[in-house]
Structure formats: C-alpha cells, structure tokens
C-alpha cells in the first residue's frame, strides 16, 4: 500500500482496538439520539432547512417501506374501462357524427379571419399605465412632466437609434433591454436560448406593442433557425411566434413558450 | 517557487455543501431585516449588497481552489509527469478550467443583476431579482459538481504522495519485481516498506532517508518494471519510469542472480538494455542481490556474459562522468539483504559516486566560480619538523580496548538459549535478575492465598478505598434492577379458606371488568406495567383494608410486604440476613459495606436524588480526581436508560410553547375576539 496511507498501514500491522467494533456500533446507535436532539434544538433558518431535509428523508423512507410491503398487501383492483363505453343512462341515445372532416388549412384560415389564436396564456393580468411608466420631470423648474420612462423589460431592434433627447417622449433604458429569450418547445420539453426578432402583440395595448414592451403574455417572434425546422414544402423555417410566460422585470430574463 | 507541500491544499467542498456554505454565510453576514416602507434606494442597496456579497464569496473560494492546485507546467517535470501518470493531465486541466469558467460566469451574473436592480421600484421586485441572481449562481455551481468531486479526490490522493525533493541527493532503486529492492531500502533506511513474496507488492514510490558522510540522501524505492514496450506499461510501472526519467539520481539496478523472483538473468538483462537510455548521465551501479542463494561465481557462462555486458554499459556512464576507465569496482557489486552482507558497501558506493558527480557538476558550473574564492581550508603552518601526534591518555586507550573485548565476550540471553538447545527446548529463567533482599528467594513460588486472604488483594495501599467505590457503584446498579418476583408458597386450604378464596376471586373478576373499561380508554393513557404503580394505588393500607373485609388479620401480610419492600429504611441488624442482595460476595473484613449499600438502595426511592459528593480516588488511567469525576458524570449520561415508565421520549411530538403569545393576545382590527 502507498507510503502515505498511515491509517491502513497501522490497521494492517496492529489490527483494531479490542473494543473497536463495539464502540463503532454504539456510536452509530447514539447518532439517532443526537439527530433527534438537533432536530428539536435547531432554530431559525437552520431549523427550517433541517426540517425540510428530514421531511424529504422520511417521505422517501415511507415510500420504500410501502414498496417492500407491496407484495404482501392486498389491494382493490379496478378493471380498465373499455374505449367507447358509455354509462347506462346514455345507452339509448343516438350520436350524430360530423360528416365533413375539415382541412387543417381551412381551419387556420377561419381562425385568422376571426382573429382568435390558441395561446398558452389566454388571459393576463392587465398592467396599468402608472405601473408601466415612470414620470420623469424635465425643464428648468422641473415642472414639465411629459416624459415617461418604461419600467418593464423592452425589446428594441438591432438598428435602433434614439430620438434626440429633447424630443424623446418614451425612454427605454438600456439596462432593461433584452435581445435573447429562453424559449421552451412544448412537445420536445427542451429550452433554447433564441434571439428575439420582434414584438408581435402586447395584450395590454398597441401602444405597448409599438414600444416593444415585454410583459407576461406578449407574443414575440423568435429566430428558430438553430432548431432546424423545415416546412412540408421544403423551406427552412427561421422565425416562429412564442408567448412570454414570466415577468421579465422580476426575473432578469425572458422565458417564453413556442407556439406550434 | 512552488512548494511541493500538497498537504496544505484546502479541502474542495462538493457542490451541495459549497452552495450551503456560501448561502448561509450570506444570510448571516449581511443585514436581514427590510420593510417595504423603506426608501427605494435603501431597498435597492440592501439587495444589491446581498448579490455582490455572494458573488465575492464564490469568487474567493473558487480562486483559492484554482490557485492551490499545482499547474502541471510550472512545477518540476518529475512531479508534472508523476501527476500526469496518476491523474491524467487533460482531465485535470479540464476540471480546473471548468472551475475557472464558473467563476467568470458568476461574475457576469452578478454584474447583470446588479444592473437590473438599479431599476427596481418595489421591494417585491428587488427581492425577486435577488432570488433569481442567487439561484443562477447556485445552478452554475451545481453544474460543476462532478468536477469538484474529482478535484477533491485528487487532492486527497496528492496529500498522501511521498514527499520527494527532486533537487537533492537521490538514490533510485529499480529492477524487476521481487528482486529485493524493498528489502534493501528497509535495511538502509527507516522506511517500513512491505516485503511480500508476490510480485508488485510495492505499487507506488516509497521514500527513505539515509546518511552518508554527514549528508542526507533520499532513497527512492520504485515498483518493479516488466520488460514491455513503452505503450503497454500500466500506471504503476509508469511511476517508476517517470522517476527514472526526471530525477538526477544515482541508479541502482538490481539483479536477482538466483532467479527466485521468477525471471532469469536473460530477461533481466533485456530489461536493462531496453531502459538503458534512461540511465544517461546518471551514476549507475549494478547490484547482484540474493547471493546467499546463488553466489555470483556460480552462474552459467551465458549469464556471466550478460552480466559482463551490463557492466560495460555501466562503465560507460563512469567514463562519461570523467572517472577512470579501470575503476570497475564501484560498478558491479554483490550483496544479500537476507544475511546483510554487502548492503552497507553498496550504499556507500552509490552515495560516493553520486556525491562525486554532484560536486564535479557544481565545480564546472558558472555559479561556483563566484563563491570559490570564499572557500579556504586553513591548515596550520609547520613550525618545525617535530612530530606532534594526537595525545590520548593511557587510561582511555585501556578502557577502549577493554570495551571492545567486553562486547565480544558478553553473552546475551539469546546465546544462552541457542547453547542449550534452541527456542523450544530451553526457556530462560526470567527471575534471574530479580532484586531482592535475600538472593535465595529468587526462585521461590509466590503464594496466591495466605492465611485465608488473597495475596493480590493487598497489592495496592488504596485498596480499601477502591473497594468502597466499587460497592457504591454496585449499589447504584442494583437499584435499577427491579425486585425479584414474588413467590407464593403453595398453601393447603381448608374449606373455610376456600370459601374466602372464592370471594377473593369474585373480587378479582370485578377488577378485571374494571380493567377492561380502562383498556378502552388506553389510547389516551400510557400503558405502564403494574409494578411501576404511577398512581400509587397499591399501598399496604389498601391491602390491609381489603384483607380485613375478608376477615383476615392483615398485620402479618403488611409486615411481610414491608420487609421485602425497598422503600423503607432498613435497620442495621437486619442487614445480615439480606438474602436478595448481592452482598453475599461481600468481604468479611469490610462489615460496613452491605449496610451502606442497602442504605443507598433505600434512600433512592423515598428521597430525591441529592447525594453527597462522591469521594473519588485517582487512578485507573485518569490524570487526577477531577478528571475521573468528569468521566463518571459522562458515563452516567451516556448510558441511555430505557423508558419503562412510558414517559414522553425524544421521538414524541413536542409543542415548544403551549400558549404562543400571538395567538392568545392582541385585538382584532375588525371583529370580536370572543374566541381564539
């Protein structure tokens, strides 16, 4: 054995203490009481963390015990229900079938006409203007209040240049500008860091859409070229819509879900 | 200049612990109280401080890890190669690189979130940002978890590597497995290397130190090398190759001429020739080991030729260092580690050659010229031609010669044993050197019992005191045991008594019914065996009442019960027939002991446990009385008493405050507080 393994070397040459194993066994048995003492005495954040950890351990222990007892316990068995079986009180009814199976494209065209789209977050909390903007005072006596600073996350395009400060009414601070978002594909369950191309619609109003404000529920267009999607015609898809699912100003990042 | 003290590296925590440490430190060391009524700048500053503090701590800890691990390119090539052989340089560098990238990532996260915090306009928003920032930093650390675990393992292994100084005088031992390298190093140094009959006993480098001419030499034992192409070598052999390649040392190539290692001389010679390129510029000595099994002259002709070839190669190194071509004595040496002949001469030869080489090199180097003028050996100038030898008094010379003679003449017990037939036949009398008042007593047999007393009992002057202590302990232990079971004598009953007995039985059945009622409420009461009698229902008075109801005189029964009970004080006269105590072993001379014990027993139940401080006799391995008292206290606490009274234990739910103030006080802002 290597020269530095002092403990193992000593054990090999002289063996263990006469009471070594008994002491070890007893020490391990005492650990249970020690743990209980800690559990009762730990206060504050430490206590909470310990309690959480211990609860998880206990839940796991219970599960394994249940698993071991599974073979010996008896349980009621529910028969699987056949597909297409209906309860007794519906037995005598005639069901009508839809004769025409609509084409997918026709459905989409109808939806487009109606202006309604299926989105993951159909309803969002309305954002008031005083929550969205902060009033900046300007002028020599600081009495003019026509400037507004956006307090939420925004997206400005790559070719964006500010208007001359004297005329700029809405200020979008550069610290709150985002260019990338974390987009989740709902079927693949994978998240990608994709570039934002533009803001399509903000549900709070079209002023916010034109400003490029990103709040929860905003529809954005993202650059999906790295996903490698292809249309049935053979063209490469490089832009897709996604809906923002978090409050970017609170989390520091834009999380979105891809609309497939 | 890197110190090769790998033992001083700080422990690398694993991912989870790392996160816990840093987060709990942030929670402790930064202010924790904030209210939403504070000024917004104060709120922002509060949370920004937390984010920055966490980032600084992460940065600090990760930097210490990166700095303390050695850079394989900056250390001596011997260590660089050794670490590469043991832990794979690429993997090592990758792990450290990951740590570095984690450090920069955390810095970036902190910068971004501090920038965002400047725009926070409410407590909730700032808090969310801080949570997001810390969460992201912790995710980064979680991702490098495997690297941290790997680095910790490496650190542990590195700390146990033998401390080899690559620059000092070193003697390296190499050869086939099982030729006797480890035995050699055991003989000349204090390194206790494992020597076993199987090959590859030594699996790593071992270091020992030895002295020669007032200088310290490092002796390095390597694992055996097999004759294989370079690519096929395993890690253990690569360790030896690394040592050979990078250390400027004197090399001792070991040859087993008896062939008992399992390889003949031809194989060993071929190994020699395959690694002879590593012996360049190193003083090489070929050592023939195990000459007790096979002397060098006795080997066959081809083997002799092979040995001669090897010797020629070794001579080349001598010539290369500028030594004389005819001095071949220091090149091929024989020895046997078992009989220890030739071992010292091999060591001396190796050390001498190494020393000469190093001195020569130093003389040739440029640096020495600067210091050379500072060396000056001063010798006294000869005044006249008179001889002045060192003066040693006659007495000293005589004493020296006598000592030498004595050493040879003194016979040890072992010699005596060998003369009289060996280890099994003769056993030396251990009593030969006893110091006694009368020499005739030396061979006497010591009695065990004298005048009815045990001789051993009078060995210690404190023995009475210790006995008292022991008995006190016994008494304590006794009171924890319960009473013995009550034995009823089988009595013959007259019909009258039988009638009474049946009445008693009726009463008993009534009790049973009562008990059944109690059982139904048992869930809310602790089930305790009857003998503990928590409610103290079973008193002698009650028994007396019931017996009188039956028409029996209760006094005898009461007396009997009292005599057997422990809770009453016993008189001294009764102590002699105390049959249920363990006082039967009491020594006759200490008459007080049983009484004291019973008094101890009696006191325990009726009084609360206030004892006079126990007088403690030092001894039994304790430094003094106070230490022993502490140990006794600890011992009492460490034995967990069984909870036989069914009292609340540590696993039962505890309500720390039965009436918390916030639930029992205060007005309601709206509504009544008729009930809480």
């Amino acid at each position: 054995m290597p020269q530095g393994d002092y403990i193992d070397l000593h054990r090999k040459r002289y063996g263990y203490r006469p009471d070594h194993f008994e002491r070890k066994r007893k020490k391990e048995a005492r650990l249970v009481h020690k743990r209980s003492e800690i559990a009762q005495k730990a206060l504050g954040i430490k206590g909470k963390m310990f309690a959480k950890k211990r609860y998880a351990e206990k839940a796991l222990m219970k599960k394994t015990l249940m698993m071991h007892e599974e073979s010996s316990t008896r349980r009621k068995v529910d028969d699987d229900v056949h597909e297409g079986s209906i309860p007794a009180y519906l037995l005598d009814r005639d069901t009508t079938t839809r004769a025409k199976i609509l084409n997918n494209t026709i459905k989409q065209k109808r939806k487009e006409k109606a202006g309604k789209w299926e989105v993951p977050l159909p309803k969002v909390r309305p954002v008031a203007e005083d929550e969205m903007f902060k009033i900046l005072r300007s002028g020599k006596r600081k009495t003019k209040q026509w400037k507004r600073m956006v307090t939420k996350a925004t997206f400005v395009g790559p070719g964006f240049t500010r208007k001359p400060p004297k005329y700029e009414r809405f200020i979008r601070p550069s610290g709150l500008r985002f260019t990338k978002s974390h987009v989740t594909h709902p079927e693949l369950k994978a998240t990608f860091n994709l570039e934002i191309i533009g803001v399509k619609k903000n549900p709070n109003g079209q002023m916010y859409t034109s400003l490029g404000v990103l709040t929860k529920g905003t529809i954005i267009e993202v650059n999906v070229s790295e996903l490698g999607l292809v249309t049935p015609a053979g063209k490469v898809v490089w832009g897709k819509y996604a809906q923002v699912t978090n409050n970017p100003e609170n989390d520091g990042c834009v999380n979105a879900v891809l609309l497939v | 200049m890197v110190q090769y003290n790998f033992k001083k590296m700080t422990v690398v925590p694993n991912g989870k612990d790392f996160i816990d440490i840093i987060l709990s430190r942030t929670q402790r060391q930064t202010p924790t109280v904030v209210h939403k009524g504070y000024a917004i700048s104060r709120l922002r500053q509060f949370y920004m401080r937390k984010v920055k503090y966490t980032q600084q701590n992460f940065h600090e800890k990760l930097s210490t890890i990166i700095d303390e691990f050695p850079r394989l390119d900056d250390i001596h090539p011997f260590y660089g190669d050794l670490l590469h052989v043991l832990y794979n340089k690429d993997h090592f560098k990758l792990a450290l690189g990951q740590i570095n990238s984690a450090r920069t990532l955390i810095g970036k996260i902190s910068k971004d979130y501090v920038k965002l915090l400047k725009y926070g306009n409410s407590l909730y928003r700032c808090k969310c940002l801080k949570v997001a920032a810390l969460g992201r930093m912790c995710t980064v650390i979680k991702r490098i978890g495997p690297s941290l675990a790997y680095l910790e393992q490496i650190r542990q292994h590195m700390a146990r590597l033998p401390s080899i100084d690559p620059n000092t005088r070193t003697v390296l031992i190499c050869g086939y497995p099982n030729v006797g390298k480890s035995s050699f190093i055991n003989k000349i140094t204090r390194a206790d290397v494992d020597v076993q009959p199987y090959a590859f006993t030594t699996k790593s480098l071992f270091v020992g130190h030895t002295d020669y001419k007032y200088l310290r030499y490092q002796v390095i034992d390597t694992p055996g090398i097999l004759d294989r192409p370079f690519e096929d070598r395993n890690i253990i052999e690569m360790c030896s190759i690394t040592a050979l390649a990078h250390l400027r040392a004197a090399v001792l190539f070991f040859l087993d001429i008896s062939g008992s290692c399992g390889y003949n001389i031809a194989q060993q010679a071929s190994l020699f020739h395959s690694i002879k390129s590593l012996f360049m510029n190193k003083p090489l000595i070929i050592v023939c080991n195990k000459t007790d099994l096979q002397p060098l002259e006795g080997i066959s002709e081809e083997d002799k030729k092979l040995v001669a070839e090897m010797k020629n190669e070794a001579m080349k190194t001598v010539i290369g260092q500028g030594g004389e071509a005819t001095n071949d004595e220091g090149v091929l040496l024989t020895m046997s580690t078992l009989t220890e002949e030739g071992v010292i001469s091999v060591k001396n030869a190796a050390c001498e050659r190494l020393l000469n080489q190093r001195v020569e090199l130093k003389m040739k180097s440029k640096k020495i010229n600067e210091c050379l003028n500072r060396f000056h050996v001063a010798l006294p100038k000869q005044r006249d031609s008179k001889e002045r030898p060192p003066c040693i008094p006659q007495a000293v010379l005589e004493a020296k010669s006598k000592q030498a003679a004595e050493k040879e003449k003194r016979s040890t017990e072992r010699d005596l044993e060998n003369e009289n037939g060996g280890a099994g036949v003769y056993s030396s009398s251990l009593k030969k050197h006893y110091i006694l008042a009368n020499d005739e007593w030396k061979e006497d047999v010591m009695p065990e019992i004298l005048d009815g007393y045990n001789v051993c009992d009078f060995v210690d002057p404190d023995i009475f005191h210790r006995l008292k202590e022991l008995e006190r302990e016994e008494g304590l232990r006794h009171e924890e045991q319960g009473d013995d079971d009550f034995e009823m004598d089988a009595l013959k009953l007259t019909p009258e008594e039988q009638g009474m007995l049946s009445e008693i039985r009726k009463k008993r059945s009534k009790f049973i019914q009562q008990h059944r009622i109690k059982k139904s409420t048992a869930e809310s009461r602790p089930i305790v065996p009857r003998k503990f009698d928590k409610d103290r229902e079973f008193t002698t008075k009650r028994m007396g009442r019931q017996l009188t109801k039956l028409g029996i005189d209760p006094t005898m029964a009461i007396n009997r019960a009292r005599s057997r009970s422990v809770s009453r004080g016993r008189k001294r006269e009764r102590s002699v027939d105390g049959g249920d105590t363990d006082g039967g072993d009491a020594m006759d001379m200490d008459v007080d002991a049983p009484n004291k014990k019973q008094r101890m027993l009696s006191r325990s139940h009726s009084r609360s446990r206030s004892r006079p401080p126990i007088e403690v006799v030092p001894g039994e391995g304790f430094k003094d009385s106070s230490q022993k008292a502490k140990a006794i206290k600890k011992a009492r606490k460490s034995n967990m008493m069984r909870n036989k009274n069914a009292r609340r234990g540590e696993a039962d739910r505890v309500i720390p405050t039965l009436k918390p103030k916030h639930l029992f006080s205060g007005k309601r802002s709206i509504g009544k507080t008729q009930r809480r």
Side-chain angles (χ1 to χ4, degrees):
Chain A
M1 86 191 36
Q3 198 170 16
D5 281 358
Y6 307 109
I7 299 175
D8 288 336
L9 192 66
H10 186 276
R11 284 224 176 115
K12 194 170 160 193
R13 287 199 180 146
Y14 307 107
Y16 290 98
R17 276 175 75 135
D19 55 356
H20 174 262
F21 293 106
E22 180 166 328
R23 270 175 29 140
K24 193 166 171 207
R25 175 183 65 82
K26 288 196 133 191
K27 189 164 188 185
E28 276 157 24
R30 263 180 271 141
L31 284 178
V32 177
H33 297 295
K34 187 97 183 127
R35 184 178 58 197
S36 134
E37 192 187 330
I38 294 172
Q40 289 180 31
K41 284 199 177 161
L43 298 172
I45 186 77
K46 262 199 194 150
K48 283 189 196 165
M49 281 171 62
F50 184 85
K52 188 170 172 197
K53 205 161 43 133
R54 185 74 186 134
Y55 179 77
E57 274 173 30
K58 280 188 178 172
L60 192 61
M61 232 193 304
K62 270 198 182 161
K63 261 198 217 157
T64 46
L65 285 173
M66 287 292 292
M67 255 183 9
H68 288 317
E69 284 173 11
E70 223 176 44
S71 55
S72 54
T73 53
R74 292 197 210 165
R75 216 173 293 119
K76 195 174 96 146
V77 172
D78 270 326
D79 291 320
D80 283 330
V81 183
H82 252 301
E83 186 70 46
S85 56
I86 43 177
Y89 52 86
L90 288 177
L91 266 177
D92 284 331
R93 299 200 185 178
D94 298 325
T95 53
T96 52
T97 54
R98 295 198 189 274
K100 203 168 162 193
I101 300 165
L102 293 173
N103 204 337
N104 209 5
T105 41
I106 300 177
K107 276 199 210 158
Q108 281 213 356
K109 283 211 184 121
R110 279 198 193 161
K111 265 206 221 155
E112 255 187 60
K113 260 204 223 155
K116 278 206 189 276
W117 290 87
E118 238 181 55
V119 282
L121 303 174
K123 284 210 186 92
V124 288
R125 190 180 71 91
V127 179
E129 201 178 303
D130 55 351
E131 197 185 326
M132 185 74 79
F133 297 123
K134 179 174 137 96
I135 300 173
L136 291 181
R137 288 171 174 259
S138 54
K140 195 172 190 187
R141 311 266 175 257
K142 300 281 176 204
T143 47
K144 301 191 183 224
Q145 296 188 42
W146 51 270
K147 275 189 189 261
R148 296 283 182 278
M149 182 174 87
V150 177
T151 58
K152 305 262 176 193
T154 57
F155 170 75
V156 294
F160 173 76
T161 29
R162 294 165 58 184
K163 287 221 291 249
K166 184 165 177 195
Y167 300 109
E168 128 182 279
R169 202 182 316 171
F170 293 105
I171 297 175
R172 283 165 278 187
S174 60
L176 288 175
R177 291 186 200 160
F178 287 95
T179 48
K180 287 195 163 222
S181 75
H182 307 145
V183 183
T184 310
H185 196 292
E187 268 135 49
L188 297 176
K189 308 280 183 203
T191 312
F192 307 94
N193 198 10
L194 305 174
E195 256 189 44
I196 306 176
I197 301 173
V199 172
K200 173 82 174 154
K201 185 160 170 57
N202 190 313
N204 296 111
Q206 35 104 282
M207 174 169 71
Y208 303 128
T209 315
S210 60
L211 279 176
V213 174
L214 299 170
T215 54
K216 189 166 179 177
T218 311
I219 313 281
I220 57 175
E221 197 174 350
V222 288
N223 181 348
V224 294
S225 48
E226 70 172 48
L227 294 182
L229 303 169
V230 180
T231 58
K235 297 202 188 137
V236 173
V237 177
W238 72 281
K240 252 187 173 298
Y241 290 133
Q243 190 180 28
V244 177
T245 50
N246 72 334
N247 291 315
E249 70 276 2
N250 284 348
D251 296 333
C253 58
V254 183
N255 294 347
V257 129
L258 202 63
L259 301 175
V260 281
Chain B
M1 167 61 181
V2 179
Q3 291 301 323
Y4 300 114
N5 199 354
F6 297 141
K7 299 184 204 289
K8 286 245 173 97
M9 295 199 280
T10 44
V11 180
V12 179
N14 72 351
K16 253 200 218 161
D17 289 344
F18 201 172
I19 295 173
D20 279 342
I21 292 168
I22 302 280
L23 286 182
S24 63
R25 192 184 289 183
T26 308
Q27 199 250 338
R28 275 179 295 130
Q29 307 281 10
T30 51
T32 49
V33 179
V34 77
H35 295 121
K36 68 174 187 235
Y38 290 177
I40 188 68
S41 56
R42 188 172 167 188
L43 290 172
R44 281 189 201 140
Q45 191 199 41
F46 178 84
Y47 286 109
M48 279 203 266
R49 182 170 171 181
K50 289 201 186 260
V51 171
K52 271 195 227 156
Y53 189 79
T54 312
Q55 182 261 335
Q56 272 165 13
N57 278 332
F58 272 126
H59 185 95
E60 219 180 276
K61 277 208 170 277
L62 291 173
S63 302
T64 47
I65 294 174
I66 292 172
D67 290 335
E68 286 191 342
F69 271 85
R71 297 232 178 107
L72 295 186
D73 305 320
D74 287 347
I75 51 179
H76 193 274
F78 164 64
Y79 268 108
D81 253 3
L82 185 68
L83 295 179
H84 173 50
V85 162
L86 290 170
Y87 320 121
N88 196 3
K89 187 158 70 163
D90 299 327
H91 203 171
F92 182 77
K93 275 191 181 175
L94 268 173
L96 283 178
Q98 270 206 337
I99 309 274
N100 195 20
S101 65
R103 191 175 58 167
T104 44
L105 271 175
I106 289 179
K108 270 198 212 143
I109 291 172
S110 152
K111 217 164 41 140
D112 287 339
Y113 276 88
V114 162
K115 241 190 325 173
L116 275 171
L117 267 165
K118 290 196 198 138
Y119 295 103
N121 50 7
S122 70
L123 177 111
Y124 178 69
R125 187 159 156 187
C126 293
K127 188 173 180 183
C128 284
L129 284 168
K130 163 236 175 198
V131 166
L134 294 197
R136 273 176 108 158
M137 289 188 214
C138 294
T139 324
V140 169
I141 297 293
K142 233 188 338 183
R143 272 207 316 255
I144 63 167
S147 294
L148 289 170
Y150 170 73
L151 284 172
E152 171 61 15
Q153 276 197 345
I154 287 189
R155 181 202 73 88
Q156 281 181 354
H157 195 273
M158 253 202 258
R160 284 165 188 259
L161 288 179
S163 43
I164 299 175
D165 186 353
N167 298 320
T168 178
R169 302 162 285 274
T170 319
V171 175
L172 205 54
I173 311 178
C174 64
Y176 252 94
N178 253 354
V179 297
K181 308 187 286 292
S182 303
S183 335
F184 176 68
I185 195 178
N186 279 342
K187 288 275 180 290
I188 53 174
T189 71
R190 281 201 66 195
D192 261 327
V193 187
D194 249 358
V195 175
Q196 298 280 352
Y198 57 87
F200 285 106
T201 314
T202 311
K203 291 195 231 349
S204 63
L205 299 174
F206 279 80
V207 180
H209 293 85
T210 180
D211 293 321
Y212 177 73
K213 280 191 181 170
Y214 308 109
L215 288 171
R216 183 139 277 202
Y217 287 76
Q218 251 180 175
V219 186
I220 299 185
D221 178 23
T222 65
I225 315 171
L226 295 173
D227 192 12
R228 290 205 271 212
F230 187 77
E231 299 79 33
D232 291 352
R233 292 199 186 280
N234 59 22
I235 295 180
I236 303 176
E237 292 170 331
M238 281 307 293
C239 283
S240 342
I241 303 279
T242 312
L244 272 174
H246 291 290
L247 294 174
R248 291 183 314 133
V251 181
L252 293 172
F253 186 83
F254 267 52
L255 202 54
D256 180 3
I257 46 180
S258 71
S260 60
C261 65
Y263 306 96
N264 57 19
I265 297 189
Q267 287 169 316
Q268 299 182 44
S270 73
L271 171 72
F272 177 84
H273 290 295
S274 66
I275 58 173
K276 66 184 173 202
S277 57
L278 293 168
F279 298 151
M280 297 248 241
N281 299 332
K282 299 192 174 90
L284 173 64
I285 296 181
I286 301 180
V287 179
C288 302
N289 199 11
K290 305 197 189 175
T291 51
D292 53 313
L293 294 171
Q294 163 82 291
L296 183 59
E297 293 72 32
I299 57 177
S300 65
E301 281 302 315
E302 309 101 51
D303 289 341
K304 273 203 187 140
K305 243 195 296 181
L306 290 165
V307 174
E309 262 179 47
M310 289 200 279
K311 196 164 110 173
N312 289 336
E313 286 292 334
M315 289 299 299
K316 282 192 209 152
T317 60
V318 176
I319 296 169
Q321 284 155 26
E324 300 114 41
T326 52
N327 182 16
D328 64 351
E329 280 174 14
V331 182
L332 180 69
L333 297 165
T334 60
M335 72 165 195
S336 165
T337 46
L338 192 65
T339 58
E340 295 188 37
E341 52 171 312
V343 170
I344 306 285
S345 54
V346 166
K347 167 195 141 189
N348 288 344
C351 294
E352 186 71 40
R353 292 254 318 258
L354 180 69
L355 189 62
N356 291 340
Q357 189 213 28
R358 282 176 74 102
V359 166
E360 262 189 60
L361 250 108
K362 285 211 173 119
M363 298 292 277
K364 281 193 212 150
S365 77
K366 288 185 228 161
K367 277 204 218 162
I368 200 73
N369 294 327
E370 303 162 9
C371 335
L372 207 55
N373 54 356
R374 295 195 224 144
F375 290 138
H376 173 65
V377 180
L379 290 168
K381 211 165 42 167
Q382 282 279 350
R383 205 161 45 158
D384 51 24
S385 51
K386 189 166 164 195
E387 275 273 324
R388 289 187 179 88
C391 170
I392 305 175
Q394 191 62 18
V396 172
L397 280 170
E398 280 172 16
K400 264 197 186 170
S401 59
K402 227 203 301 181
Q403 214 185 38
E406 236 181 54
K407 256 197 179 168
E408 292 157 20
K409 261 197 267 167
R410 189 165 53 162
S411 66
T412 60
E413 283 291 328
R414 191 175 267 215
D415 295 335
L416 203 56
E417 195 180 66
N418 286 334
E419 278 169 32
N420 291 352
V425 178
Y426 171 87
S427 63
S428 52
S429 135
L430 299 164
K431 304 186 185 175
K432 227 177 6 177
H433 296 292
Y434 276 5
I435 301 168
L436 298 167
N438 187 349
D439 273 346
E440 289 167 14
W441 298 340
K442 270 192 202 170
E443 296 293 328
D444 287 352
V445 175
M446 211 172 87
E448 286 180 12
I449 301 181
L450 193 64
D451 295 342
Y453 295 119
N454 263 335
V455 171
C456 294
D457 291 340
F458 291 88
V459 131
D460 192 355
D462 281 335
I463 197 132
F464 287 148
H465 217 133
R466 286 193 206 280
L467 178 68
K468 278 185 209 152
E469 249 191 71
L470 259 178
E471 300 204 317
R472 213 181 288 130
E473 257 185 70
E474 277 283 328
L476 286 172
R477 217 180 292 152
H478 224 278
E479 70 197 23
E480 271 126 45
Q481 294 172 15
D483 287 339
D484 293 332
D485 279 332
F486 214 89
E487 273 176 30
M488 274 284 267
D489 301 341
L491 298 168
K492 288 250 157 63
L493 300 173
T494 64
E496 196 185 62
E497 286 176 357
Q498 268 180 354
M500 279 197 268
L501 182 65
S502 61
E503 254 203 62
I504 290 172
R505 283 197 178 134
K506 269 188 225 155
K507 263 258 167 81
R508 196 155 167 256
S509 63
K510 218 194 280 179
F511 282 138
I512 289 173
Q513 278 178 15
Q514 232 178 16
H515 172 75
R516 287 204 179 119
I517 295 171
K518 248 204 259 175
K519 243 186 14 177
S520 59
T521 59
E523 281 165 13
S524 54
R525 287 182 302 106
I527 309 286
V528 166
R530 180 185 151 151
K531 68 182 176 183
F532 293 117
D533 190 16
K534 258 177 41 173
D535 308 325
R536 291 183 215 262
E537 297 171 4
F538 302 103
T539 56
T540 43
K541 264 200 206 142
R542 181 174 139 165
M543 180 173 80
R545 259 184 287 141
Q546 292 182 333
L547 286 176
T548 37
K549 251 192 257 175
L550 290 175
I552 307 171
D553 180 23
T555 44
M556 256 193 71
I558 291 176
N559 285 340
R560 186 160 184 207
R562 284 199 187 143
S563 77
R564 292 199 84 99
S565 97
V566 182
S567 61
R568 287 232 173 188
R570 284 216 237 189
K571 296 213 177 136
R572 271 204 180 209
E573 295 89 75
R574 285 224 201 96
S575 60
V576 186
D577 40 294
D580 56 336
T581 62
D582 284 346
D585 294 340
M587 306 226 322
D588 288 60
M589 44 192 125
D590 194 3
V591 194
D592 283 336
N595 303 330
K596 263 199 187 159
K597 202 181 356 144
Q598 283 159 10
R599 261 196 283 141
M600 289 301 315
L601 287 173
S602 65
R603 261 203 212 120
S604 61
H605 274 232
S606 53
R607 285 204 210 162
S608 58
R609 292 175 191 267
S610 61
R611 297 197 175 108
I614 302 173
E615 201 191 311
V616 168
V617 179
E620 289 182 314
F622 291 107
K623 183 171 74 177
D624 52 13
S625 309
S626 63
Q627 198 188 53
K628 189 170 179 187
K630 266 194 233 166
I632 291 175
K633 229 204 242 177
K634 263 196 179 174
R636 248 195 293 148
K637 228 175 130 191
S638 74
N639 273 335
M640 299 233 60
M641 298 308 303
R642 258 192 74 189
N643 193 0
K644 290 196 218 164
N645 280 347
R647 290 166 179 261
R648 187 175 66 196
E650 62 183 7
D652 295 314
R653 217 163 269 277
V654 176
I655 301 171
T657 45
L658 279 171
K659 299 185 91 179
K661 188 166 167 196
H662 70 280
L663 294 178
F664 285 90
S665 69
K667 295 190 181 187
R668 284 195 216 274
S669 54
I670 146 175
K672 299 191 245 183
T673 37
Q674 271 183 353
R675 49 173 183 275
R676 288 189 181 270

